[in-house]
Amino acid sequence: MAEKSISRRGFLKEAAAAGVFAAAAGSFTSNFVDVGEAAAAAQDDERTVKTSCRSCIGDCGVIVTVRNGRIVKIEGDPEDPISKGRMCAKGLAEIQAVYNPDRLKYPLRRVGERGSNEWERVSWDEAISQIADALMELYEKDGAMQLMLSCGGGGSPPRIGATSRFLNAFGGGNFFEPGCAQCYLPRSHGEPFINGMTDTSIADRAVIEIYFNTTKTCVLWGTDPSQSYVAAGGRALCDMRAHGCKTVVIDPRFTPDAAKADVWLPIRPGTDTALGLAWIRYILENDLYDHDFVMRWTNLPYLVNEETKLTYKASELGLGTDGEYVVWDANTNSPRPMPYPWDDALSPVLDGEFDVGGGVMSRTAYRALWDAVSEWTLDKAAEICWLDAEKIEEAIKLYVEGAPAAGISLGVCTDQGVNSSDSPMCTAILDVIMGCICRPGSLVQKRPSGQAGAAQPWDNKGFNDAVPSLCVTAEQQAMKLGYIEHKGFEGWQASHIPTILEAVETGKPYQPKIWIDFSGNKPIMIGNAANFIQVMRDNMELIVHCYVNLTTMSTELADFVLPTTDWIENAYTAFALNKVIIRQPVVNLYESIETHMIYSFLAKALADRGHENMQLTFKKPFPDPSHGGYWLNYQEYEEWLASIVNQQLLKDNPMTWQEMCEATPFEFMPLDEYRDGYYELYEKIDEETGLPAGFGTASKKCEPYAEGFTVMGRTGGRFGHDHNGNVQPPASVDYSPLPRYIEPAESPLTDTEYPYVLTSGRVPVFHHGTQRNVPWLREIYPAPQCWINPKTAFEIGVEDGDWVLLESRRGSTHGLAHVTEGVAPGIVAQERFWNPELLRTDDPSQAWKAMNVNVLTKNDPPYNDVYGSYTLRGFQVKVSKAEKPEGVWFDPKDFTPWLPEYTDETGGGYAIYDGGEANYA
């Protein structure tokens, strides 16, 4: 961590001069810290620091040059084996972000009405004390479930696990993240139900194989690494194509990856599951699947109990034990138990329906899969998806020709609608039946990786005896809002946003009262933003926003705003193939504090007020460092990070945090071992059982008949219980073990009033809602482009460069017309956006209204049954010509007020505030 250069007394003297001010007046431009002689003594001092970027989720290795205590240069680190020294615009612009004149410099407390944008400066002592007082009163009076925490993607790590850690220690409560069920949870949680391994996200580094040039065909299904993961996945795909890899792109937009694809399928938004079902049918019908893998390593030969919707256990038919499944044996023409992993004496029938006794009929899981896809011919899929049947067939053949050195990477698009669990079921089934799993070139692999600082939730693993009160109880789990109906939230320990809104508004089943948010800009990320803001503003007793800048989340909703560090000021860990990359603080400015430490300081304040569980979190040593206690200072936190890396990867050669910082990036195993040592992992012998390790499912086989979903809906988890071993009440609707297509609730097939389908997608210069106040990036992309096909533009009466008004049944917003054949007729595409410059005006609410597609999106039913996903893409809008919104900055000179204002190193908020000492028995 950077050396602190100002004393506590000197800082507080400086702070005493601050008074009440209006943020809209631009009062953040003063460099209020005077480091005096310390700065003068540092003249001509230059050093370089290796760290990792977090301007998106890429974690690319970077080298930062610091001169006289100030960052003057950021460049890619060639030792990063994934980015290989490349950087994108987002990371290169970090100097403008960290030294931005509108940077939130110190804690603020609201003095006017919510939404008035009027604040007064307070100390960290005041802020932490007042928030802790409110939390303790809530805990003692109303109970823990009324606390709500949230975080979000973009910029510094979202600390998803850290929210659960705090809630569990507090005694319960709700957590939400604006993506979650709309961004990544359905894939990251759902695909392993089928492949027993991992998801297939390139941007989230679940897909590693693309960096070895072993893949023959890569299907990019709704993902665009060349725009959303530029320096890493985008770079790798360029390299793959140069080595002969064929690519298929399924995306409504003509993205850079679509421009280089062998086949581009410009699908109608919201219909991906229909296309996936057709792909499965074509492969089964034409006998293109991997017969040996399907027979020996999937559950498709197993017989299905039509009453329970689960595959038969041998005990149910009096044939054996619960640990054995049942096949129809051609040799004996009877149902027989199949021991794991296989019995050569049996000859299972893959496709059929049989009488298992007493006239009870049972299909094989294969037949059940066929029945689910049988209606989905290429012609039907082409009609529904607005595609050409011959092009669909061409794409499938490319995928099949590359198998098993092939794979499908599924992107965020399918998470954002009612079919969010069904689309990843389809793509996971396809990779499994083609044997594209754990083979050289397959995208589905299982190699060591992880984020040490993710702070996994406290649960029963290791805590039943040591610290039982810090475990999640069955009651706490069941009380999470929306969890019982949408048990897929078990994957992130989250709650359902629409159910939260209903509870906040109505008080049923209970009333959330305090909300602490650790992210950028909720009105930009949440569906139907106006509804969300109104409900939260009118009903929450206390709202705390922790972030780098003031955003519309701050100005519209917050009572306190706490300044957090940007990524270049904090500590974390990243993994790049066989290497660990340490993110280490390069500078610490103003009074900013890292997110984890804000949690820790609040925990300490609650412990001081007698909260017994919080007192337990400061006991040393903690029984399991991977879950961890809390920390009294940043150095303790850094050493905790080091302990997790040591525990996970460096057991035989542990290092201190400082040693890791000096060595970064460093190997935790040789590259050839990392690359080659995990192929056919499922066939390797488990020393405990003497049998092949298999896959991470109940059957230890891949499960295209995904009964784990059904089991989860009835019990809380795919193994018959939630992650703490508790059995939960069933959801009101059984989750299907097989994918099915549901037409979007708002559909061009039936809607004439709102005739166009709206979709979204990332652009390479922004990540989620971040960096709209960075002048370089806004000069590149000053306003959100609304992609419109020339035929559609003619219907509307707009030309390229015109401003347009987009309207849905929930609201209206603006965009800048980009007339292009890169999107099909009847479809419009526009990225999320907001306008920080409008926070300075008399109507700061326009900052989230003027150009925010989430004013248009849906947060009402129908929801996906498993994950509760609502609709952010594939809904209906109308478009008309409009004028430029008043006050919006557009020309390069407009962004001059955001040019960097260099400040001296101050040591951050740690220089003036810490949690004190912990003296708990």
Side-chain angles (χ1 to χ4, degrees):
M1 180 173 171
E3 181 180 353
K4 315 210 175 18
S5 55
I6 186 170
S7 71
R8 178 184 179 92
R9 179 177 298 176
F11 193 97
L12 292 177
K13 180 180 178 181
E14 192 73 29
V20 178
F21 62 93
S27 300
F28 290 105
T29 57
S30 63
N31 173 19
F32 67 92
V33 176
D34 178 12
V35 296
E37 296 180 2
Q43 295 299 315
D44 300 323
D45 173 47
E46 183 168 305
R47 60 191 175 95
T48 58
V49 181
K50 289 195 171 188
T51 185
S52 72
C53 177
R54 191 70 185 189
S55 289
C56 73
I57 57 176
D59 289 325
C60 297
V62 297
I63 302 173
V64 181
T65 301
V66 181
R67 184 178 303 141
N68 297 332
R70 296 168 179 170
I71 301 166
V72 296
K73 183 179 181 181
I74 302 174
E75 57 190 321
D77 186 352
E79 293 187 61
D80 181 337
I82 286 182
S83 65
K84 295 187 175 181
R86 277 73 166 183
M87 287 191 72
C88 72
K90 298 186 290 291
L92 291 169
E94 174 62 10
I95 292 177
Q96 295 199 349
V98 75
Y99 293 115
N100 194 289
D102 279 358
R103 179 82 186 268
L104 183 61
K105 294 179 171 68
Y106 33 75
L108 302 176
R109 180 172 55 207
R110 179 175 57 82
V111 295
E113 296 295 321
R114 279 182 181 160
S116 66
N117 202 19
E118 295 179 341
W119 309 91
E120 65 178 348
R121 178 179 176 178
V122 296
S123 69
W124 271 104
D125 278 322
E126 289 178 277
I128 293 293
S129 293
Q130 290 185 30
I131 296 166
D133 284 343
L135 287 170
M136 198 66 189
E137 181 181 356
L138 179 77
Y139 178 74
E140 293 176 337
K141 179 181 177 182
D142 298 308
M145 294 306 296
Q146 279 79 0
L147 173 61
M148 185 168 68
L149 302 182
S150 62
C151 62
S156 295
R159 311 302 201 222
I160 290 170
T163 59
S164 293
R165 160 195 289 224
F166 190 87
L167 288 174
N168 296 345
F170 188 67
N174 290 277
F175 151 66
F176 74 92
E177 196 269 343
C180 192
Q182 283 71 233
C183 178
Y184 197 35
L185 175 65
R187 291 170 290 139
S188 65
H189 187 249
E191 287 186 321
F193 274 60
I194 291 170
N195 62 40
M197 302 198 82
T198 186
D199 64 90
T200 55
S201 171
I202 288 177
D204 297 278
R205 293 199 177 182
V207 173
I208 294 298
E209 199 69 12
I210 61 173
Y211 301 102
F212 301 133
N213 288 317
T214 51
T215 303
K216 294 181 180 178
T217 304
C218 184
V219 180
L220 302 174
W221 200 311
T223 186
D224 58 340
S226 294
Q227 289 200 118
S228 61
Y229 197 40
V230 181
R235 181 206 62 76
L237 281 165
C238 290
D239 205 16
M240 289 167 64
R241 284 190 289 262
H243 283 80
C245 178
K246 304 292 185 182
T247 59
V248 174
V249 169
I250 302 169
D251 198 307
R253 304 162 304 146
F254 192 61
T255 64
D257 287 312
K260 295 292 185 179
D262 295 275
V263 179
W264 173 44
L265 299 179
I267 189 170
R268 171 164 71 96
T271 65
D272 300 86
T273 299
L275 184 62
L277 294 168
W279 276 48
I280 296 170
R281 183 191 192 279
Y282 184 91
I283 287 170
L284 297 182
E285 181 183 28
N286 291 281
D287 200 26
L288 301 174
Y289 59 89
D290 185 326
H291 286 248
D292 185 67
F293 188 84
V294 163
M295 185 63 75
R296 290 177 175 269
W297 286 107
T298 79
N299 70 349
L300 291 179
Y302 296 163
L303 295 177
V304 175
N305 183 327
E306 303 292 354
E307 182 178 349
T308 67
K309 308 302 182 190
L310 308 178
T311 52
Y312 272 113
K313 305 299 189 297
S315 59
E316 296 177 68
L317 296 174
L319 299 173
T321 69
D322 284 346
E324 296 174 307
Y325 293 82
V326 180
V327 299
W328 189 266
D329 178 34
N331 295 334
T332 61
N333 200 33
S334 66
R336 303 296 299 167
M338 173 63 79
Y340 177 80
W342 186 256
D343 185 349
D344 286 325
L346 299 178
S347 181
V349 177
L350 183 63
D351 181 18
E353 185 174 14
F354 308 98
D355 186 337
V356 295
V360 176
M361 302 303 293
S362 172
R363 297 172 295 170
T364 62
Y366 177 97
R367 172 64 68 86
L369 175 61
W370 171 258
D371 289 346
V373 304
S374 58
E375 66 177 297
W376 289 98
T377 64
L378 296 187
D379 286 337
K380 179 172 181 176
E383 179 183 359
I384 292 293
C385 303
W386 294 358
L387 295 171
D388 180 88
E390 291 183 0
K391 279 292 184 182
I392 299 174
E393 184 175 30
E394 183 182 351
I396 297 171
K397 286 181 176 179
L398 272 181
Y399 170 61
V400 169
E401 288 168 6
I408 302 171
S409 176
L410 187 62
V412 67
C413 60
T414 64
D415 297 334
Q416 299 186 342
V418 69
N419 284 122
S420 68
S421 64
D422 303 281
S423 292
M425 289 174 78
C426 287
T427 55
I429 288 169
L430 285 164
D431 276 346
V432 165
I433 64 177
M434 292 308 303
C436 298
I437 183 166
C438 241
R439 274 70 172 295
S442 302
L443 298 192
V444 180
Q445 305 283 349
K446 190 70 171 178
R447 294 186 174 95
S449 66
Q451 295 287 6
Q456 293 302 312
W458 275 309
D459 53 31
N460 281 350
K461 299 172 184 175
F463 285 88
N464 282 324
D465 298 322
V467 196
S469 63
L470 297 181
C471 301
V472 181
T473 67
E475 181 183 20
Q476 290 168 356
Q477 182 74 0
M479 288 181 69
K480 289 179 183 289
L481 293 167
Y483 163 72
I484 293 299
E485 282 303 299
H486 308 293
K487 291 192 178 68
F489 281 113
E490 184 259 355
W492 285 17
Q493 293 300 289
S495 302
H496 184 228
I497 294 173
T499 307
I500 288 173
L501 282 173
E502 183 179 359
V504 171
E505 187 170 24
T506 68
K508 299 178 181 179
Y510 55 85
Q511 176 75 57
K513 294 182 178 179
I514 296 179
W515 174 24
I516 305 177
D517 176 54
F518 293 84
S519 70
N521 205 350
K522 286 292 185 291
I524 310 307
M525 314 308 297
I526 294 287
N528 193 358
N531 164 254
F532 176 85
I533 287 175
Q534 193 67 46
V535 170
M536 293 298 187
R537 178 188 286 165
D538 291 349
N539 296 283
M540 296 300 297
E541 292 183 3
L542 176 66
I543 300 175
V544 180
H545 184 214
C546 309
Y547 195 54
V548 180
N549 305 304
L550 276 186
T551 70
T552 58
M553 170 69 200
S554 318
T555 59
E556 294 290 321
L557 296 171
D559 302 303
F560 282 91
V561 186
L562 306 182
T564 63
T565 54
D566 210 348
W567 64 262
I568 209 162
E569 301 170 287
N570 65 38
Y572 212 58
T573 57
F575 292 79
L577 304 187
N578 64 319
K579 289 186 176 182
V580 178
I581 303 179
I582 297 298
R583 181 175 301 118
Q584 55 182 311
V586 179
V587 295
N588 282 115
L589 304 180
Y590 310 117
E591 292 187 33
S592 60
I593 289 179
E594 205 273 343
T595 297
H596 263 320
M597 293 309 300
I598 296 176
Y599 279 120
S600 195
F601 292 152
L602 285 172
K604 175 61 167 54
L606 287 166
D608 289 345
R609 286 158 174 76
H611 195 297
E612 293 181 359
N613 267 9
M614 290 300 183
Q615 292 174 357
L616 289 174
T617 67
F618 289 94
K619 286 192 172 182
K620 303 293 192 301
F622 212 72
D624 184 351
S626 67
H627 293 75
Y630 277 119
W631 319 277
L632 295 173
N633 55 63
Y634 207 69
Q635 286 72 27
E636 283 189 11
Y637 165 66
E638 290 173 333
E639 287 303 325
W640 173 77
L641 287 174
S643 74
I644 308 306
V645 176
N646 289 330
Q647 181 189 58
Q648 292 180 353
L649 300 173
L650 304 178
K651 297 178 181 179
D652 297 328
N653 298 289
M655 301 165 66
T656 66
W657 175 256
Q658 188 58 42
E659 289 170 338
M660 290 180 184
C661 290
E662 293 171 359
T664 189
F666 56 86
E667 290 188 353
F668 61 85
M669 71 169 58
L671 181 59
D672 57 352
E673 180 183 340
Y674 182 83
R675 181 188 61 232
D676 303 331
Y678 296 89
Y679 296 133
E680 285 80 41
L681 189 65
Y682 56 93
E683 293 183 334
K684 297 187 177 181
I685 300 300
D686 184 326
E687 293 181 1
E688 292 186 9
T689 65
L691 298 172
F695 297 91
T697 63
S699 66
K700 294 190 177 181
K701 304 283 185 80
C702 291
E703 297 187 355
Y705 186 82
E707 63 181 41
F709 283 106
T710 307
V711 172
M712 178 175 66
R714 297 171 182 173
T715 67
R718 57 177 157 165
F719 298 107
H721 51 76
D722 67 20
H723 75 292
N724 279 317
N726 301 311
V727 177
Q728 296 289 348
S732 61
V733 176
D734 247 356
Y735 302 161
S736 172
L738 292 167
R740 72 276 192 243
Y741 173 68
I742 300 173
E743 178 68 18
E746 294 183 2
S747 168
L749 306 183
T750 55
D751 199 334
T752 56
E753 183 180 359
Y754 294 84
Y756 305 116
V757 187
L758 185 132
T759 189
S760 190
R762 293 178 186 165
V763 294
V765 294
F766 298 122
H767 183 67
H768 295 317
T770 64
Q771 296 187 316
R772 299 319 195 273
N773 64 345
V774 173
W776 282 352
L777 301 183
R778 280 291 295 276
E779 183 175 346
I780 296 170
Y781 197 87
Q785 292 184 352
C786 181
W787 288 28
I788 307 174
N789 184 275
K791 293 181 180 179
T792 306
F794 180 78
E795 293 172 1
I796 298 169
V798 300
E799 298 180 355
D800 190 68
D802 285 344
W803 289 92
V804 295
L805 181 73
L806 298 93
E807 300 174 83
S808 77
R809 288 177 170 83
R810 290 152 294 279
S812 63
T813 197
H814 292 83
L816 190 66
H818 174 52
V819 179
T820 172
E821 293 186 357
V823 67
I827 299 173
V828 294
Q830 183 167 313
E831 159 69 332
R832 295 160 296 182
F833 210 85
W834 74 287
N835 297 86
E837 64 270 28
L838 297 180
L839 293 178
R840 300 169 178 265
T841 67
D842 293 335
D843 185 5
S845 68
Q846 288 302 312
W848 65 268
K849 294 177 180 177
M851 297 180 182
N852 175 16
V853 292
N854 274 319
V855 171
L856 312 176
T857 51
K858 282 171 55 65
N859 65 354
D860 58 341
Y863 307 124
N864 178 261
D865 50 0
V866 181
Y867 297 105
S869 308
Y870 52 72
T871 303
L872 295 182
R873 306 192 194 196
F875 60 92
Q876 298 305 113
V877 298
K878 53 187 175 183
V879 184
S880 58
K881 190 173 180 179
E883 297 296 324
K884 175 187 171 185
E886 185 177 353
V888 166
W889 292 356
F890 189 80
D891 296 324
K893 61 180 174 55
D894 291 341
F895 308 117
T896 302
W898 286 333
L899 287 172
E901 179 184 85
Y902 285 102
T903 185
D904 293 304
E905 165 70 35
T906 69
Y910 318 105
I912 61 165
Y913 182 84
D914 59 48
E917 297 181 359
N919 298 304
Y920 309 119

